[in-house]
Amino acid sequence: MSKPRTSRWEPVRTVAAGTRVARVEVFFDLIFVYGFFNLSRFVAEDLTVRGLVKGLLVLALLWLCWVAHMLVAQRVRLGEGIAPLVTFAAMGAALAIALTIPHAFGDLPDGISGPVLFPLWYFTLRCLHLGLHWYAVRKVPVERRQLTRIGAAVFVSTGLLLVAAFLPWLPGDLDTFGVRIGLWTLAVLVEYGTGLAVGLSGWRLAAPGHFAERFELIVIIAFGELIISIGIGSGVLGQPITWPTFFASLVGLTAIASLWWLYFDSLAFAAELTIHALPRRERVALARDGYIYLHLPIIAGLILLAAGGEEMVRFLSAGETHVFEPVHGLGATLLYAGVALYLLALIAFQFRTLGTVVWTRVVGVLLIAGIAPPAGRLPAVVALGLLAVICLGVVIAEIVFLADSRRGLHEALREERQAHEAQETEWRRRQR
């Protein structure tokens, strides 16, 4: 076996065009399993308009934490040099953020202030990623200036969140909730608005395949959290297993598998091919619009679906008499709203990346929009079953009516995989 070449140690090593996802990146993503889980629980425990608004605001900032980590990986090999240490520190900050999610808008007695801890740990996490990113591009003035602008937005948004945290202690008669929501909304607008305002100059997508794969993995993370929520809703721990529990869980899984198929069967790979083929500036624009911005509503739809699905499965598992009764509260509405938002986000993502719209998905959204208003008055088993039938119907329609385009895309995917496998096999053969 030939001896591997040695090179001098470097604190930060840059990525190449064919860079793969490092194991430490996937390890970092596991924190977001817990983060998404806590967020869906946060929404599920307050199924009101207020609860939904709070949950979506938290998700918007949590999403930026993950995006910042992913963007660093476009410049730095996170499995080498000092990057793993920074990643582990970032994991600690991300875990602290996840822990504070249920208390981001209010405290419980005898505890540390959640509304204060959330922005402090948010600021810490963003600074860790910005610091590593800045060090990696310290010799690239244009990108350094862009990071400085992003850092200023992080500073301003953190200040707004801290002001919101201290509202209960300010003098005067204030509508604390309304002002706090306003400050959080302003913080989110500052962050996302700055991302648009800084423009495309200076940014670079060094490894487009790695970039697309990272988003595919975080979508899988969100699906994993969705399955966990369905399992928790079944309430089988310490309770007898009933037929309604099995029915609700399996029908829910049918809908989840259908939604997974709609993203991963063809769309994800087609988008990856597109981002590979684009020139630098257009590639960065697509990365910002199609992935960073339009994947947020994809994740949001799955979080809403998790909250509504957990409530629906819990209701159906409570007893056989509940099967033919309407679910109480917003459970059914959230279920349909989550799927509709997910499908709309997929339609927008496909239009932005490929310039096309699949009619089957539009029909699916229209059907869900038509059933959603009375869904809360339908028997729970009917509401859940109809949603699963619509999701599965969209999948079957695409398999039947879009067979030719899917076949061509799958052949291209197979050829790419075989080429990569052959190249890797040859390299390993030479190392023997």
Side-chain angles (χ1 to χ4, degrees):
M1 179 177 178
S2 61
K3 293 182 179 180
R5 292 179 297 175
T6 58
S7 57
R8 67 184 182 87
W9 184 83
E10 297 179 12
V12 169
R13 298 180 68 89
T14 57
V15 301
T19 296
R20 292 181 172 183
V21 174
R23 291 177 178 86
V24 72
E25 296 177 65
V26 181
F27 188 43
F28 178 85
D29 283 357
L30 294 180
I31 297 293
F32 283 80
V33 175
Y34 178 62
F36 290 160
F37 170 75
N38 250 6
L39 182 57
S40 67
R41 297 293 303 143
F42 178 55
V43 173
E45 290 179 2
D46 184 15
L47 288 180
T48 63
V49 174
R50 284 190 172 196
L52 291 177
V53 171
K54 291 189 293 185
L56 292 175
L57 288 172
V58 171
L59 175 61
L61 295 178
L62 189 65
W63 177 246
L64 288 178
C65 294
W66 181 84
V67 167
H69 174 79
M70 180 275 308
L71 289 177
V72 173
Q74 282 296 301
R75 280 299 200 175
V76 178
R77 294 182 185 271
L78 293 182
E80 302 180 32
I82 64 171
L85 297 178
V86 178
T87 300
F88 295 147
M91 288 179 70
L95 179 60
I97 291 173
L99 287 169
T100 61
I101 285 174
H103 310 293
F105 286 86
D107 291 321
L108 291 178
D110 303 323
I112 307 174
S113 176
V116 174
L117 285 178
F118 184 96
L120 291 180
W121 284 113
Y122 175 78
F123 183 76
T124 301
L125 179 57
R126 296 300 303 278
C127 285
L128 285 168
H129 287 137
L130 283 169
L132 182 60
H133 199 157
W134 192 93
Y135 181 81
V137 300
R138 62 194 181 280
K139 297 180 182 179
V140 187
V142 177
E143 194 165 350
R144 271 205 334 265
R145 287 194 294 271
Q146 295 286 49
L147 288 175
T148 301
R149 296 183 181 108
I150 297 294
V154 172
F155 185 82
V156 171
S157 63
T158 302
L160 291 169
L161 296 178
L162 285 173
V163 172
F166 288 111
L167 276 178
W169 293 285
L170 295 178
D173 185 16
L174 290 173
D175 176 11
T176 303
F177 177 81
V179 177
R180 181 173 282 178
I181 289 296
L183 289 170
W184 271 70
T185 303
L186 185 57
V188 170
L189 291 176
V190 166
E191 292 271 21
Y192 284 84
T194 301
L196 288 172
V198 297
L200 305 175
S201 177
W203 299 116
R204 182 170 71 94
L205 211 61
H210 171 278
F211 180 87
E213 186 180 0
R214 292 294 287 118
F215 280 87
E216 293 168 15
L217 290 174
I218 198 63
V219 171
I220 289 178
I221 290 290
F223 271 108
E225 187 281 325
L226 176 54
I227 292 173
I228 291 172
S229 294
I230 296 296
I232 290 176
S234 66
V236 295
L237 188 61
Q239 300 292 332
I241 300 176
T242 63
W243 285 113
T245 299
F246 270 114
F247 173 82
S249 300
L250 294 177
V251 171
L253 182 60
T254 300
I256 293 170
S258 300
L259 297 177
W260 179 93
W261 189 96
L262 292 173
Y263 182 89
F264 286 100
D265 176 70
S266 301
L267 178 56
F269 181 62
E272 184 179 341
L273 288 178
T274 300
I275 202 169
H276 267 288
L278 290 174
R280 174 175 171 172
R281 187 175 179 84
E282 287 79 359
R283 178 185 291 175
V284 172
L286 177 57
R288 181 195 64 189
D289 302 339
Y291 283 90
I292 294 176
Y293 282 3
L294 285 177
H295 270 65
L296 174 58
I298 291 175
I299 301 298
L302 294 177
I303 295 292
L304 294 179
L305 179 58
E310 180 181 339
E311 183 69 18
M312 178 70 77
V313 174
R314 179 185 293 112
F315 182 80
L316 286 171
S317 301
E320 295 185 4
T321 57
H322 285 198
V323 172
F324 299 105
E325 296 178 7
V327 65
H328 306 302
L330 294 178
T333 302
L334 274 186
L335 204 66
Y336 278 76
V339 174
L341 179 58
Y342 177 84
L343 290 177
L344 284 171
L346 290 189
I347 292 169
F349 175 57
Q350 179 171 342
F351 183 75
R352 179 61 183 87
T353 54
L354 309 178
T356 60
V357 174
V358 180
W359 64 267
T360 53
R361 302 182 183 198
V362 176
V363 171
V365 172
L366 293 176
L367 288 174
I368 290 172
I371 299 174
R377 299 190 297 273
L378 294 174
V381 66
V382 175
L384 181 60
L386 279 175
L387 185 66
V389 167
I390 292 172
C391 294
L392 185 59
V394 173
V395 170
I396 294 173
E398 293 193 7
I399 292 174
V400 173
F401 295 108
L402 305 178
D404 292 339
S405 60
R406 289 182 60 252
R407 188 180 302 111
L409 192 61
H410 286 189
E411 288 176 358
L413 175 60
R414 191 179 305 110
E415 291 174 4
E416 183 189 56
R417 285 175 177 169
Q418 290 173 347
H420 279 298
E421 290 165 359
Q423 185 178 17
E424 183 174 335
T425 301
E426 176 61 23
W427 184 89
R428 293 185 184 279
R429 187 189 62 79
R430 293 198 304 267
Q431 302 305 308
R432 292 175 183 172

